[in-house]
Each structure stands twice: as C-alpha cells, then as structure tokens.
Amino acid sequence: MKLATVILAAGLGTRMKSDLPKVLFPVAGKAMVHYALDAASALGSRETVLVVGHGADQVREEVGKKAVFVLQGEQLGTGHAVLQAREALQGRADTVLVMYGDMPLLRAETLQRLAGQHARTGATITMVTVRSDESMGFGRILRDANGRIQGIVEEREATPEQLEIHELNCGVYCFHNDWMWEHLPRLTPSAKKGEYYLTDLVGMAVQEACTVESVTLNGIAEAVGVNTRAQLAEAERIMRGRINDRLMEEGITLVDPATAYIDADVLIGVDTIIEPNTHLKGRTRIGADCRVGPNSIIRDSEIGDRCEIVASVVELAVLETDIHVGPFSHLRPGAYLARNVHIGNYAEIKNSHLGEQVHVGHFSYIGDSEVGARSNIGAGAITCNYDGEKKNRTIIGEDAFIGSDTMLVAPVRIGDRARTGAGSVVNKDVPADTLAVGLPARVIRRLR
Ligand code: UD1
Ligand code: CA
C-alpha cells in the first residue's frame, strides 16, 4: 500500500487563548504536531502534507523538513482543508490517511488497525469511531438496520433522534486516494455553518455503493483532541502515565510514578532508579544503574552509567560514568564531567571540562575552564571568568589543589600539581609544582 498523509492543523485554537498555534503546545515535552507526524511516518507514510493556516510560519519553523506544507488561507471546514493538499498528493499514493495535528493521544496501534482494515477490505473510506456517553460535540455515525454505515451527521446539524446516537466520529480516516480527490471538489457548504464538511464524503460513498468500513476504539481518551488548557493538562497526564508505564516495563524503577515527569523522547537504562519529583526533559539520555532525584531537573543532557544526581539541575551537560552530583548543584550548558568526578553541594559548572576524579566539594563556580584529572577545587573557589567585556578561560592542570576561597582571575593557568593558599587571588599563571598565596597571589616557594 502506497500511503500518504494529510494532517489538518490550520485551525486557530481559539479556546487556548494564546498567540502560540495550538499544534505547537507541548505534551510531554514534544509539540503536539510531532505526534501526528511521527505516527504517520511510523505507519510508512511516504509523503505527509501539513495543512497550516493560523501561525503557519511558526508551525513551518518547528516542523521543518518533516512535512510538505500547504496553506489554507481561510478556514472553511475540514473538507476544504484536505482539498488544499490535492496538488501535492493526487496520483501519488493509493491511500490517504487524514488526521488532525491536535490528537497526541491517538495510538500507533489504532492507526495500524485502521490502515490494516482499509487494506484488507479494499474500502473506499475506513474511519475510526468510538462509543461514548459523552458526545463532546462530535459527529454521530449513522448506521442502517444491518449495522452498515450510512453517513456522519455533525452535532449542530443533527435531529433530536440522531443526537441520541452514542457512536461518534473521531476524525481519523483512510481514503482511497483517487476517489477522494475526485469527490472533494463536489462538497457543498453545510446548511447551518456553511462549512465544507469532510464527513459528507461518507454519505457520497454510500450513495455510490462504495464500501465504508470502520474500526472502533475502546475508550474515548485517544480521541479527545486538545482544544482547551484543561484538555492539554489532561493529555499531559495521560501521556505521562503511558511513558512511565513503558519505562517500568523496560526495567526502570520509578519510586513514585505520579511525580516522575519524563518527556516522550527521554531514554533511560535498566535498573536506574528515578526518585520522586524528578523532571527529565527534552533529549536527555540516562545510563543504567543510575539514581536520579529526588528533586532533580535534567534537560537535554547525557548521563552515563552509575551516576547519582541528587536535588540538582543539569542542562545541556555531558556526564561520563560513576559521577556524583549534589545535593543543590547546577550543571549548565557545556559542562563535561569525565568519569568519577564528584560535585558536592552549591556548585555551578558552566562550559567547562572536568577531568577524571576531579572533586568540587562545596560552593564553587567553575566557568569556561579546563580542570585536569584528580585536581581538587576547595570550598568557595571561583573562576572569575568575566571581566565585564568578555569571558576568559581558566586552565588548571592535573593533580592541582585549589585552596578554599581562591579567586582565579581569568585568563589564568595553574600548572600540574600546583597549590593555591586559602583566600588567594590568582591573577598570574602559577607554574607547575609551586605554591602561590596572598592577594594578589605570589609564588613563595617550590613544592618539590
Ligand atoms: C470534526 C468532524 C466531526 C468529528 C470531530 C472529531 C467534520 C465536519 N467534523 O469536527 O465529525 O467528530 O472532528 O474531532 O469534519 N481544521 C482545519 N481547517 C478548517 C477546519 C478545521 O485545518 O477549515 C482542523 C482544525 O485545526 C482541527 C481539525 O481540523 O485540528 C478538526 O477541526 P474541528 O473544527 O475541531 O472539528 P469539527 O469540524 O468540529
Ligand atoms: Ca477539535
């Protein structure tokens, strides 16, 4: 089956009351539109067209090369929206999957069922329906006495009897490609709203004695689109539950899943323990046998095996293996920690490379620096990396000992095995194997 996809994302999302296009709101750290795009590509869609309108430029920027864009200038209904993709797709597939950019909870398995049923039956249209006591304003599925689908009627156009129908249209379909492009231009504006309803294609297909098939969802959760901030929060909660269930199945311990906030694309190795109130965001990767939290926030970082990060914030940092951080430390962008590094409390590391077994025990700021293996940074030592105009580098050799409260006024170099005295203000290079003290620090003697 040659599959193409049309994702509708032109609507304003009025009820979000936001300048951000609705499909760009994140759910579990990922903009909603990516869920639709990823689902389409997982299904083997060769070409995916995104119909954009409100906030088109912002959506384009976020999605980039993952889709072809067509603009729907005026939102004249779902039928009109799909029609905008005709030039891009007519004659280029057997089947077109149509779905919305604001249904992040729709499962890949559901789409597989839909596409499978469509291929097996050779239907002209196959759609996803759901049985629910709550109508949510959805279209009602009309069936004849034999259970065959006759059409879809929108809630606002429905008769009181039709309103009693509990089978609803989810808005996700597979269409026979050529048939759809042939029939879309024949839609006429609806009676009440004057919109071109994609759903009217179902009635047309029935009239032409074409086959219309359906797959039915068990629960409503998958079908609920995100139209309000409350639905966004609900989608977030459900998605988080799914992510956490998957991780536990994969062999990761979540001490309290209710307070483990883990984004959709985060990877975690087996036997890692996630303590309560831990936030793992973006493209974070965590190795095996780690312990993270309680109260840690890790964003877009790589953490190796056997690391422990207690009550700390880690952003865009790389940690090798067997590293301890925290409590209450902050690893900022560009921090690279080689194996066996120890970071204690109230330390901040930015844009710096720390060699193996470096110790930064207490109250330190290390910025724009290179610290050689096994060096010890005493309590309160600080790299004064900013001179008011530019950032300067500090280079510390191997096996150095930076005394408590040392100010390293960059640019400056501390040689291998050198030591600085407590409270020294170092504004000149300190050669290897020497001891420097004072304000400004001066070398007083050779050490060996
Ligand atoms: C539509 C279906 C309804 C179904 C419901 C499920 C029609 C006529 N009705 O309802 O049977 O139960 O979805 O959610 O199709 N959009 C555009 N351009 C437009 C109009 C809509 O891109 O001109 C997009 C919206 O951004 C949204 C999606 O299409 O993502 C659905 O639009 P919405 O107005 O929510 O659906 P309804 O027409 O109310
Ligand atoms: Ca909707």
Side-chain angles (χ1 to χ4, degrees):
M1 178 171 68
K2 257 173 97 178
L3 183 76
T5 306
V6 179
I7 298 171
L8 303 189
L12 178 57
T14 319
R15 284 180 284 165
M16 298 298 279
K17 304 204 170 89
S18 175
D19 292 335
L20 189 70
K22 183 167 74 172
V23 294
L24 296 189
F25 273 85
V27 170
K30 187 158 114 171
M32 281 197 273
V33 68
H34 286 299
Y35 288 93
L37 291 163
D38 295 350
S41 83
L43 206 61
S45 172
R46 304 200 186 172
E47 272 169 283
T48 300
V49 175
L50 195 61
V51 181
V52 290
H54 289 281
D57 291 340
Q58 276 167 281
V59 178
R60 268 200 195 104
E61 194 170 317
E62 169 66 33
V63 169
K65 291 193 169 66
K66 280 170 92 173
V68 169
F69 297 90
V70 298
L71 191 71
Q72 185 192 26
E74 224 183 325
Q75 275 69 62
L76 299 178
T78 49
H80 179 260
V82 174
L83 186 57
Q84 309 309 305
R86 182 163 65 165
E87 228 171 276
L89 294 182
Q90 191 163 28
R92 305 187 65 166
D94 312 324
T95 301
V96 189
L97 168 69
V98 175
M99 61 179 166
Y100 305 154
D102 61 0
M103 288 173 68
L105 296 174
L106 192 67
R107 288 178 188 272
E109 302 89 88
T110 301
L111 290 174
Q112 262 152 19
R113 260 174 74 207
L114 173 72
Q117 173 98 339
H118 187 75
R120 223 178 11 260
T121 58
T124 302
I125 305 176
T126 308
M127 57 190 179
V128 180
T129 75
V130 65
R131 301 197 150 275
S132 165
D133 292 338
E134 209 192 322
S135 89
M136 301 181 303
F138 280 17
R140 307 296 201 274
I141 307 292
L142 310 178
R143 291 185 187 263
D144 67 12
N146 296 317
R148 278 192 296 254
I149 291 172
Q150 296 301 297
I152 302 175
V153 61
E154 290 307 299
E155 182 166 281
R156 67 180 74 82
E157 324 260 345
T159 64
E161 295 76 48
Q162 289 169 335
L163 287 176
E164 292 305 312
I165 296 170
H166 288 251
E167 189 184 8
L168 312 174
N169 172 33
C170 297
V172 182
Y173 324 79
C174 278
F175 289 96
H176 183 282
N177 189 42
D178 295 339
W179 186 93
M180 186 182 83
W181 299 120
E182 212 174 284
H183 288 74
L184 267 179
R186 301 186 201 167
L187 291 175
T188 52
S190 66
K192 294 257 168 63
K193 219 184 170 196
E195 282 190 355
Y196 295 88
Y197 288 163
L198 181 64
T199 45
D200 286 349
L201 288 184
V202 175
M204 280 188 199
V206 171
Q207 267 181 8
E208 294 179 12
C210 297
T211 316
V212 177
E213 286 282 332
S214 64
V215 296
T216 302
L217 294 176
N218 294 322
I220 191 82
E222 274 190 72
V224 183
V226 172
N227 301 300
T228 63
R229 305 265 180 169
Q231 285 172 333
L232 180 70
E234 181 66 1
E236 178 83 28
R237 189 185 64 77
I238 293 171
M239 188 64 73
R240 197 149 54 80
R242 286 189 194 170
I243 292 166
N244 290 352
D245 288 348
R246 169 177 55 81
L247 289 168
M248 289 188 283
E249 233 161 74
E250 288 172 1
I252 289 111
T253 296
L254 305 181
V255 173
D256 178 16
T259 65
Y261 304 86
I262 303 172
D263 280 355
D265 293 332
V266 170
L267 300 174
I268 308 179
V270 292
D271 281 331
T272 281
I273 299 170
I274 306 296
E275 298 274 9
N277 195 28
T278 291
H279 303 249
L280 306 178
K281 296 170 174 293
R283 303 192 176 282
T284 294
R285 272 192 283 163
I286 296 187
D289 298 305
C290 293
R291 184 181 286 268
V292 183
N295 301 331
S296 288
I297 302 172
I298 303 184
R299 179 169 69 80
D300 296 322
S301 296
E302 265 176 66
I303 315 286
D305 297 342
R306 296 175 304 281
C307 290
E308 191 172 21
I309 301 175
V310 186
S312 291
V313 177
V314 179
E315 307 169 274
L316 282 150
V318 178
L319 279 64
E320 291 185 358
T321 57
D322 303 283
I323 289 166
H324 177 96
V325 178
F328 315 122
S329 282
H330 189 184
L331 306 183
R332 292 175 48 207
Y336 185 102
L337 278 50
R339 61 197 172 89
N340 287 303
V341 163
H342 175 89
I343 307 288
N345 40 208
Y346 308 106
E348 176 178 336
I349 315 287
K350 184 214 77 171
N351 189 30
S352 293
H353 184 282
L354 274 52
E356 288 173 22
Q357 293 181 56
V358 164
H359 273 58
V360 184
H362 337 262
F363 323 113
S364 286
Y365 172 57
I366 303 294
D368 304 302
S369 301
E370 213 174 297
V371 182
R374 295 170 306 280
S375 286
N376 185 86
I377 310 290
I382 280 171
T383 57
C384 311
N385 60 328
Y386 186 50
D387 59 16
E389 277 171 22
K390 57 183 192 314
K391 303 285 169 64
N392 299 299
R393 290 190 68 75
T394 299
I395 315 283
I396 299 171
E398 297 184 348
D399 300 291
F401 183 94
I402 306 300
S404 294
D405 232 353
T406 297
M407 302 293 121
L408 297 160
V409 184
V412 70
R413 280 173 180 272
I414 309 293
D416 293 346
R417 298 170 303 280
R419 301 173 75 102
T420 66
S424 52
V425 177
V426 181
N427 59 2
K428 283 198 188 71
D429 291 355
V430 177
D433 298 303
T434 60
L435 170 66
V437 301
L439 191 169
R442 64 212 187 282
V443 174
I444 54 166
R445 65 177 161 85
R446 280 197 70 82
L447 287 166
R448 62 192 98 204

